[in-house]
Amino acid sequence: MDNPQNTRERILDSALNLFSRKGYHDTRMDEIVEESETSKGAIYFHFPSKERLFLALMDQFASLLERRIREAIEQEDEGMQRVRAALTACLDTFGKYRLPAKIMLVQAVGLGAIFEKKRLEVNDHFANLIRTYLDEAIKVGDISPVDTEIVSHAWMGAIYSVVIRWVYTGEPEPERILSTLLPLLLRSVSYDDSIA
Amino acid sequence: MDNPQNTRERILDSALNLFSRKGYHDTRMDEIVEESETSKGAIYFHFPSKERLFLALMDQFASLLERRIREAIEQEDEGMQRVRAALTACLDTFGKYRLPAKIMLVQAVGLGAIFEKKRLEVNDHFANLIRTYLDEAIKVGDISPVDTEIVSHAWMGAIYSVVIRWVYTGEPEPERILSTLLPLLLRSVSYDDSIA
DNA sequence: TACAGCAAACCGACTGGTCAGTCTGTTGAT
DNA sequence: ATCAACAGACTGACCAGTCGGTTTGCTGTA
């Protein structure tokens, strides 16, 4: 009927909707079949298992986030401006992709070992990305030395938590998040952002 | 054989161990039976369902955390010292109760609506507690005005994220967490903590 | 002190509904 | 004719919860 790429994407799309709304365990494969208007056969042709289907969604979003952050960093000069750009890109991407964000930050938590591994992997990856540029900022002299391992994880947590709240309640608006959270984070390492 | 309180606690204890290690869905009631050396009957005599058993663990820890934070706050003077005490108590309690912390911060996430409601409830509760005393600190003049709604949630997230990491990897040690995270959070609202 | 009566506390084999994954096809393009 | 891309009825493992039965401790009675 349609081309296979289309079917695969319809499946991913419906899975994204259902998983993000109802969570992994409360979403039945048959529901994904119904919503995507495909069939059990189609799903299991494109994905070997429910688990892998979910992981595919996680990967999809992780790649997107990674790409966006890297692009943002590349356009800035060395030092704290890069950290700032990374945080902005991160918040911006979460803001633009609400459903995948919820999958990543909420629905992927507390599932078994496989998902947890992937989640921690992605999480650590971004924390380390932030950490690298924080270290750079310290080297360059933009900020004074801090325990960047803890700072980077604390930052991720701060962002996640505010974003999660926004995902659920729609408040506060992304605009207000950005304008409050960013200065907050930068201040936490004694960086004055008043140049913006 | 034993008194009923004993059985109930053995069940809660085993459930805590298993849920925190394997998560809600990967823990079978029969495993709790085995580990607690009781029986299906005993469990369902004390708890109406698996769901309620898990919720009981959440409540248990939420009460403990609440009590500890309130006690810590009461022993301090108005203003930023109270905020400081609350954060310290929070980190301290998570540190002392690793398994319940994992239940609360990890395993309770992404389960259905009932658990999510409870989790957001508890989360918001503590965020609001922090917020109240942040507002007080602003009123008293310890710090200049900030968006306390976002700050309080960001703080909770920062704490959670670092604690979760510690729960999984055992690093960094609670000592280092406290001595890095606390100044970080306080600095984020421009409060100089050098009096400590 | 013995014992019946009774209920709370507990035991564990069993069940019934659920659902991921399978399998036997069908369709349509090359 | 062949095979990728589906369709959808079916299965069987899994597991929360049940239920008839047993034990334990307590209370009143003689």
Side-chain angles (χ1 to χ4, degrees):
Chain A
M1 196 190 287
D2 287 329
N3 73 67
Q5 207 50 39
N6 231 328
T7 302
R8 197 188 134 92
E9 261 153 40
R10 280 222 313 283
I11 292 167
L12 280 170
D13 209 56
S14 301
L16 175 63
N17 274 316
L18 287 161
F19 281 142
S20 69
R21 194 166 70 244
K22 319 181 31 165
Y24 182 78
H25 285 289
D26 286 348
T27 299
R28 325 271 151 243
M29 289 307 257
D30 286 331
E31 292 180 290
I32 300 177
V33 167
E34 198 180 358
E35 164 141 354
S36 63
E37 289 175 304
T38 58
S39 68
K40 252 336 187 3
I43 293 186
Y44 281 91
F45 176 78
H46 287 286
F47 305 93
S49 66
K50 186 183 180 183
E51 194 176 288
R52 294 289 201 84
L53 173 55
F54 191 88
L55 285 172
L57 288 170
M58 289 183 76
D59 276 328
Q60 209 180 36
F61 186 62
S63 310
L64 175 74
L65 191 57
E66 163 107 45
R67 194 170 353 107
R68 292 207 151 212
I69 291 180
R70 288 210 180 278
E71 278 170 14
I73 285 174
E74 275 168 21
Q75 288 174 355
E76 295 291 334
D77 290 334
E78 251 188 5
M80 212 50 194
Q81 283 309 316
R82 286 195 163 168
V83 174
R84 198 185 190 287
L87 293 177
T88 308
C90 193
L91 278 167
D92 192 57
T93 306
F94 280 130
K96 281 209 174 67
Y97 301 89
R98 193 164 163 161
L99 298 192
K102 192 171 175 188
I103 292 252
M104 206 65 178
L105 304 185
V106 180
Q107 309 298 17
V109 184
L111 308 178
I114 312 105
F115 296 98
E116 211 55 34
K117 190 162 162 282
K118 169 68 93 189
R119 239 195 83 253
L120 289 174
E121 219 175 273
V122 173
N123 195 39
D124 282 12
H125 180 72
F126 287 107
N128 281 325
L129 197 64
I130 301 280
R131 192 183 177 182
T132 302
Y133 291 99
L134 259 181
D135 282 331
E136 194 188 275
I138 292 173
K139 204 174 231 166
V140 169
D142 274 0
I143 56 171
S144 45
V146 284
D147 188 329
T148 54
E149 184 187 351
I150 291 187
V151 171
S152 57
H153 279 99
W155 279 11
M156 295 301 284
I159 292 174
Y160 284 1
S161 148
V162 174
V163 168
I164 287 171
R165 208 183 150 60
W166 168 75
V167 161
Y168 275 108
T169 66
E171 295 216 343
E173 315 90 56
E175 175 57 31
R176 189 171 139 221
I177 293 180
L178 194 69
S179 65
T180 302
L181 197 51
L182 199 55
L184 180 88
L185 298 180
L186 297 179
R187 239 182 293 139
S188 76
V189 292
S190 306
Y191 181 71
D192 185 4
D193 193 40
S194 51
I195 319 119
Chain B
M1 196 189 287
D2 287 329
N3 73 66
Q5 206 51 38
N6 231 327
T7 303
R8 197 188 134 92
E9 261 153 40
R10 280 223 312 284
I11 293 166
L12 279 170
D13 209 57
S14 300
L16 175 63
N17 273 317
L18 287 161
F19 281 143
S20 69
R21 194 164 70 246
K22 316 179 34 163
Y24 181 78
H25 286 289
D26 286 348
T27 299
R28 326 271 150 243
M29 290 306 258
D30 286 331
E31 292 179 288
I32 300 178
V33 168
E34 199 180 357
E35 162 141 355
S36 63
E37 288 175 306
T38 59
S39 68
K40 249 346 187 357
I43 292 186
Y44 280 91
F45 176 77
H46 288 287
F47 305 93
S49 67
K50 185 183 181 184
E51 193 176 289
R52 293 289 200 85
L53 172 55
F54 190 88
L55 285 172
L57 289 170
M58 289 183 76
D59 276 328
Q60 210 180 35
F61 185 64
S63 310
L64 175 75
L65 190 59
E66 164 106 42
R67 194 170 352 106
R68 293 208 151 211
I69 291 180
R70 288 209 180 276
E71 279 169 14
I73 285 173
E74 277 169 20
Q75 288 173 355
E76 296 289 335
D77 290 335
E78 251 188 4
M80 212 52 193
Q81 283 308 316
R82 287 196 162 167
V83 174
R84 197 184 191 287
L87 293 177
T88 308
C90 192
L91 278 167
D92 192 58
T93 306
F94 280 130
K96 281 210 176 67
Y97 301 90
R98 194 164 163 161
L99 297 192
K102 192 171 175 188
I103 291 251
M104 206 64 179
L105 305 184
V106 180
Q107 309 297 18
V109 184
L111 308 178
I114 312 105
F115 297 98
E116 210 55 33
K117 191 162 162 280
K118 169 68 93 189
R119 239 196 84 253
L120 288 175
E121 220 175 272
V122 173
N123 196 38
D124 282 12
H125 180 72
F126 286 107
N128 280 327
L129 198 63
I130 300 280
R131 192 184 177 183
T132 303
Y133 291 99
L134 259 179
D135 282 332
E136 194 188 275
I138 291 173
K139 204 173 230 166
V140 169
D142 274 1
I143 55 171
S144 45
V146 284
D147 188 330
T148 54
E149 185 187 351
I150 290 188
V151 172
S152 57
H153 279 98
W155 279 10
M156 295 301 284
I159 292 174
Y160 285 0
S161 149
V162 174
V163 168
I164 287 171
R165 205 181 154 63
W166 167 75
V167 161
Y168 275 107
T169 66
E171 295 217 340
E173 315 91 57
E175 174 58 31
R176 189 170 140 222
I177 292 181
L178 194 69
S179 66
T180 302
L181 197 50
L182 199 54
L184 180 86
L185 297 180
L186 297 179
R187 240 182 291 137
S188 76
V189 292
S190 305
Y191 181 71
D192 185 4
D193 193 39
S194 51
I195 320 119

